Amino acid sequence: METSGTNRGADRFREWMKFTPARLDVGRTGTRPLTTEMLKFRLDHAAAVDAVYGEVREETLAEFGLFTVETQYRDKEFYLKRPDSGRVLSEEGARDIVRRCMRRPQVQIVVSDGLSAKAIDDNLADVLPALRDSLAANGLTEGTPFFVKGGRVGVMDDIGRLLEPETLVLLIGERPGLATASSMSAYMCYRPGPGRKDSDRMVVSNIHAGGTPPTEAGAHIGALLRKMIEQKVSGVRLEV
Amino acid sequence: MDEWMNSVGIDLGTSTTKWLLSRLRLTRTSGGFALPRYEITERKIEYASPVYPTPLLGEDRIDVASVVALLEAEYARAGLRPEDVRTGAVIVTGETATKRNAEELTRALARHAGQFVVATAGADLESMLAGKGSGAFRRSLETDGVVANVDIGGGTANTAYFRRGALIATVTLHIGGRLVRLDERGRVLYAAAALRRWAAESGGGVRLPEEGTRTTFDTLRQLCRAMADILLRCVSGEPAALLAARPLFVGVPANALPAPDEIWVSGGVGALMEKSPPETVGDTARHGDIGPLLAAELAKAADACPITVRPSPAAARATVIGAGTQTTEIGGATMYCSPGVLPLRDVPVVVCEAPPEAGDAAEDARLLREAAAAAVREGIAAYAGAGGDPPFALSLRVAGYCSYRRLQRLADALAAAYGSEALRATTPLLVCESDMAKSLGYALLGKLGERQRNRLVCLDQLSPREGDYIDVGEPIKEEVVPVVVKSLVFGE
């Protein structure tokens, strides 16, 4: 029971550490990090780079029957330098979705790699079925889901222009960090289309095993979509 | 954005009764990009009643009609209508004798105490509430040491130990101001049995005057000194004192207690500590008992104690403040709740510990089915006979990451267990420790029978323990419900 003042300080510090995956109390040797920490840092950095340059596995898309369309991103290098290229579908992609998708669905689900293909591989199998349960429980119906390669959040508006869904949810890989490379976001918008602003969209972010729980996120998204449809608005004006 | 709700606390003690009206501020504490999470972020005391003598009929029955009349007058004075009250607690404290008709009291108060008030007691719960109301709990958040709060009323001294906001132990002793009652000439009208046993076992170290005899100031002072001494030494965790005090324990005697860095004192006797000490038998007996003298001796013992002992600034009302402001939690960051089912009251808790995920899916499903079936069987055996609905709440503890596939296996296991004949017409109330209530609720919808599907309530981020009772109030707003977890047992 009796611990010295210093030990109590350390106890408290360890308690705080439980709240963050940040690199705290990693030690040093002289002025340099420890070798193990340095290696761990480089490993995490490599995982982040791999997530950006990686591709979503075919099996992931096949499991949910998602067909693939592309944006005007050309290749990863161009995609990284020109975010606007990921906001517009390629001509072929636009033709494809118009041809293959239900028009004006209540909920349009779109999946995109964004900045982390790994986020989709790791989380889609947990988020998407939970989201579908939630749609059913909230009495909502979905259109034809598909996968967008090289997508940015703004692609929602291009898809909205073409398919005119009542609501659209985009499950997209987040910019990876050193804490996790598999974080996904769910962006939502009521009647997406040209001219929509960030303030019209909602997001549930940090979806991964160590962050926002993927199944609970899926369940919550469905309930949010219902509120958007009830209130005919999304973004900062939605009352939650 | 923030909502406020009214909470009422009522403390019916061995000797005094108080009530309190407070307002609790409900705030969304999670960021806009995260799942919603609400917490109580502020507690304001709006009105505190005077300290009334507890209306009693004879020795051991509460005068229910008088309590109700008192409360009606107090509600009127505070300008409060019963329907404005969202949550709170009635705590019947002190010696068990006064709790004999607590049930009757609960029913009588139900109408006046609003739509959501609980009646409960139990020494450990009292200890915790007093510690939370006295300021000791908050103090423990500011310091690294252990802060103990000892609440000394008429019948018992209830102690709670906090370390950085966590309750780590409780202990209750039969030490209180009303354990010896006197008339103004020093005749002993009553001496509690526990004190008599303690005096008998002390081998002459403690002298307790016989009932019916006249006693002297010196005898009383020595008795109070011995009581104060054993109390502070027990609270300090001194092993020899814990051994000597065995006849005084309420419940199982403790063999070891945490060593506190600070001891706070609350309760009626705590409030008397700063009064000038009585000097005669007549002075002592001004409330008809030894309370003032016990308080004076406690103040002296506190000065001599190697640990800092300080009276709580809210001494007299610590328990009622705790009951009124600290009993309510917010259930469900995200949750599932069938319409029209809430409120649910006094639901006993059965814990279901999910096994760690097995590598093989079929094996995992089998283990989950076994765990759910065993917990539900236990719940039926213990509580189904009582006929309450829900007969019990299942407190689900799922360690580690729960994928959608595992969630389905868990939902299958739960649906199978709840398919039991004894439960088919009841309300399934599931309380999850981790954030999974909404997805689990949705997963269960397709698996439960129709009656259960329409009554399903699934909450999360609460972890009531085996033997606790929980109340779930009506939603304050969509997806936000007040929950009161009534823990009757603390410690291991």
Side-chain angles (χ1 to χ4, degrees):
Chain A
M1 203 57 63
E2 280 308 305
T3 47
S4 70
T6 340
N7 281 344
R8 281 178 172 175
D11 282 352
R12 175 162 282 204
F13 191 72
R14 270 191 288 277
E15 260 171 48
W16 291 345
M17 282 171 65
K18 284 189 226 146
F19 293 98
T20 172
R23 278 156 223 268
L24 301 178
D25 194 26
V26 291
R28 64 187 169 92
T29 176
T31 56
R32 297 186 299 110
L34 298 177
T35 305
T36 50
E37 281 303 321
M38 198 59 214
L39 289 174
K40 189 170 173 305
F41 182 90
R42 289 178 60 175
L43 181 71
D44 289 345
H45 187 259
V49 173
D50 283 354
V52 172
Y53 285 95
E55 301 217 344
V56 174
R57 290 174 21 233
E58 281 301 323
E59 303 89 273
T60 305
L61 303 177
E63 184 182 348
F64 296 101
L66 303 175
F67 69 91
T68 299
V69 296
E70 296 196 356
T71 63
Q72 300 182 356
Y73 80 105
R74 288 190 229 169
D75 56 53
K76 270 279 147 75
E77 292 304 329
F78 190 76
Y79 171 82
L80 292 174
K81 287 178 199 147
R82 290 281 304 273
D84 57 319
S85 70
R87 295 186 190 124
V88 185
L89 291 178
S90 67
E91 273 179 39
E92 192 190 348
R95 262 201 315 277
D96 270 1
I97 68 165
V98 169
R99 184 167 55 83
R100 298 178 69 164
C101 293
M102 179 202 288
R103 294 287 298 274
R104 296 183 181 163
Q106 204 169 22
V107 177
Q108 174 68 52
I109 297 175
V110 180
V111 179
S112 181
D113 47 4
L115 285 159
S116 171
K118 190 173 180 337
I120 304 303
D121 282 333
D122 287 356
N123 300 302
L124 195 65
D126 290 332
V127 175
L128 192 51
L131 169 57
R132 286 183 168 152
D133 285 353
S134 179
L135 294 182
N138 284 285
L140 302 178
T141 53
E142 65 164 310
T144 318
F146 57 92
F147 174 74
V148 175
K149 198 170 175 189
R152 296 273 183 179
V153 173
V155 80
M156 292 168 78
D157 292 340
D158 199 36
I159 297 165
R161 174 177 67 86
L162 296 163
L163 298 180
E164 301 179 80
E166 200 167 352
T167 59
L168 190 152
V169 51
L170 174 67
L171 304 174
I172 187 167
E174 279 178 16
R175 183 184 307 277
L178 290 165
T180 176
S182 58
S183 184
M184 176 198 258
S185 279
Y187 284 85
M188 288 153 278
C189 188
Y190 179 76
R191 295 205 186 284
R196 285 293 190 199
K197 297 183 281 292
D198 282 339
S199 56
D200 295 320
R201 291 189 271 263
M202 351 241 342
V203 65
V204 175
S205 73
N206 198 33
I207 302 170
H208 60 97
T212 305
T215 56
E216 201 65 357
H220 177 62
I221 293 163
L224 260 185
L225 291 169
R226 176 177 51 80
K227 281 184 194 167
M228 286 159 50
I229 288 171
E230 281 168 3
Q231 296 178 32
K232 300 187 187 305
V233 70
S234 59
V236 296
R237 283 179 299 158
L238 187 83
E239 284 180 29
V240 288
Chain B
M1 280 295 279
D2 290 357
E3 309 250 342
W4 288 87
M5 58 179 167
N6 289 326
S7 171
V8 158
I10 301 170
D11 172 13
L12 278 154
T14 310
S15 39
T16 61
T17 288
K18 314 106 198 174
W19 86 282
L20 180 113
L21 170 65
S22 61
R23 277 156 59 74
L24 311 180
R25 180 201 286 265
L26 192 65
T27 309
R28 176 168 168 154
T29 51
S30 60
F33 303 160
L35 297 181
R37 174 165 201 157
Y38 291 84
E39 287 175 78
I40 292 167
T41 51
E42 197 180 337
R43 299 167 164 87
K44 280 209 313 219
I45 295 172
E46 291 282 301
Y47 174 83
S49 80
V51 177
Y52 293 104
T54 297
L56 293 172
L57 292 170
E59 288 289 316
D60 58 2
R61 290 178 69 82
I62 298 162
D63 179 353
V64 172
S66 299
V67 170
V68 170
L70 188 96
L71 201 64
E72 276 177 359
E74 282 288 331
Y75 263 57
R77 194 190 297 188
L80 186 72
R81 294 172 306 169
E83 57 268 34
D84 298 332
V85 178
R86 298 307 293 261
T87 187
V90 182
I91 306 290
V92 183
T93 58
E95 292 182 287
T96 41
T98 53
K99 295 170 189 167
R100 186 174 292 183
N101 57 345
E103 277 292 307
E104 182 193 342
L105 181 80
T106 308
R107 282 193 300 275
L109 284 181
R111 197 165 62 81
H112 302 282
Q115 53 180 322
F116 189 90
V117 172
V118 298
T120 184
D124 295 315
L125 181 61
E126 284 173 43
S127 303
M128 181 190 76
L129 292 178
K132 287 193 165 179
S134 74
F137 165 74
R138 200 174 327 151
R139 170 68 184 147
S140 83
L141 294 169
E142 296 163 359
T143 168
D144 283 329
V146 172
V147 182
N149 186 75
V150 47
D151 189 83
I152 313 164
T156 55
N158 297 64
T159 307
Y161 297 83
F162 299 97
R163 184 170 52 213
R164 294 200 287 279
L167 180 75
I168 55 171
T170 59
V171 65
T172 300
L173 295 171
H174 284 290
I175 286 186
R178 237 175 142 66
L179 294 186
V180 177
R181 296 211 291 272
L182 305 165
D183 70 13
E184 67 282 2
R185 294 183 306 143
R187 200 159 59 91
V188 177
L189 303 176
Y190 165 83
L195 273 190
R196 266 189 259 127
R197 276 198 305 278
W198 175 54
E201 286 185 21
S202 75
V206 182
R207 279 176 39 231
L208 188 64
E210 290 292 316
E211 279 176 26
T213 63
R214 271 187 67 174
T215 185
T216 63
F217 183 66
D218 258 355
T219 307
L220 289 175
R221 188 163 58 187
Q222 276 164 29
L223 173 67
C224 289
R225 186 169 298 168
M227 288 167 76
D229 177 68
I230 193 87
L231 175 62
L232 285 188
R233 283 168 52 213
C234 281
V235 171
S236 307
E238 210 179 285
L242 293 175
L243 205 61
R246 287 179 87 82
L248 295 175
F249 279 94
V250 175
V252 184
N255 293 318
L257 287 168
D261 294 77
E262 285 176 35
I263 299 172
W264 289 45
V265 186
S266 63
V269 172
L272 289 171
M273 274 171 74
E274 289 181 321
K275 297 265 160 55
S276 56
E279 281 167 7
T280 64
V281 167
D283 257 4
T284 302
R286 64 179 186 264
H287 301 302
D289 58 38
I290 55 168
L293 190 53
L294 178 59
E297 289 302 319
L298 197 63
K300 278 194 225 158
D303 286 341
C305 185
I307 299 166
T308 309
V309 181
R310 51 165 299 186
S312 152
R317 292 188 177 80
T319 304
V320 76
I321 293 171
T325 67
Q326 299 282 352
T327 46
T328 300
E329 297 176 58
I330 299 303
T334 47
M335 56 175 267
Y336 181 81
C337 177
S338 305
V341 177
L342 300 179
L344 300 171
R345 292 197 183 88
D346 278 324
V347 185
V349 171
V350 173
V351 170
C352 176
E353 195 101 32
E357 185 165 7
D360 176 59
E363 175 67 2
D364 191 45
R366 192 181 64 77
L367 292 173
L368 286 172
R369 269 200 309 276
E370 272 176 17
V376 164
R377 254 199 318 275
E378 182 202 325
I380 292 171
Y383 303 114
D389 183 37
F392 58 89
L394 203 64
S395 172
L396 264 180
R397 307 214 176 128
V398 185
Y401 179 66
C402 189
S403 66
Y404 182 78
R405 288 187 185 89
R406 186 154 211 245
L407 185 78
Q408 291 296 308
R409 294 197 284 270
L410 180 64
D412 282 330
L414 290 168
Y418 271 87
S420 157
E421 190 60 45
L423 297 179
R424 225 162 268 171
T426 65
T427 302
L429 172 56
L430 303 173
V431 182
C432 315
E433 191 170 42
S434 44
D435 193 358
M436 60 186 298
K438 202 178 194 71
S439 49
L440 180 63
Y442 287 156
L444 278 166
L445 284 183
K447 302 180 196 290
L448 290 172
E450 190 184 349
R451 160 85 193 171
Q452 290 180 332
R453 182 166 67 234
N454 293 331
R455 307 272 309 162
L456 176 66
V457 177
C458 209
L459 309 174
D460 63 24
Q461 289 176 343
L462 297 163
S463 47
R465 296 198 277 179
E466 192 81 35
D468 286 353
Y469 284 75
I470 74 168
D471 288 359
V472 185
E474 288 177 35
I476 295 154
K477 53 190 286 181
E478 198 185 344
E479 311 221 353
V480 184
V481 293
V483 174
V484 178
V485 176
K486 293 173 281 183
S487 296
L488 302 182
V489 183
F490 294 100
E492 327 41 78

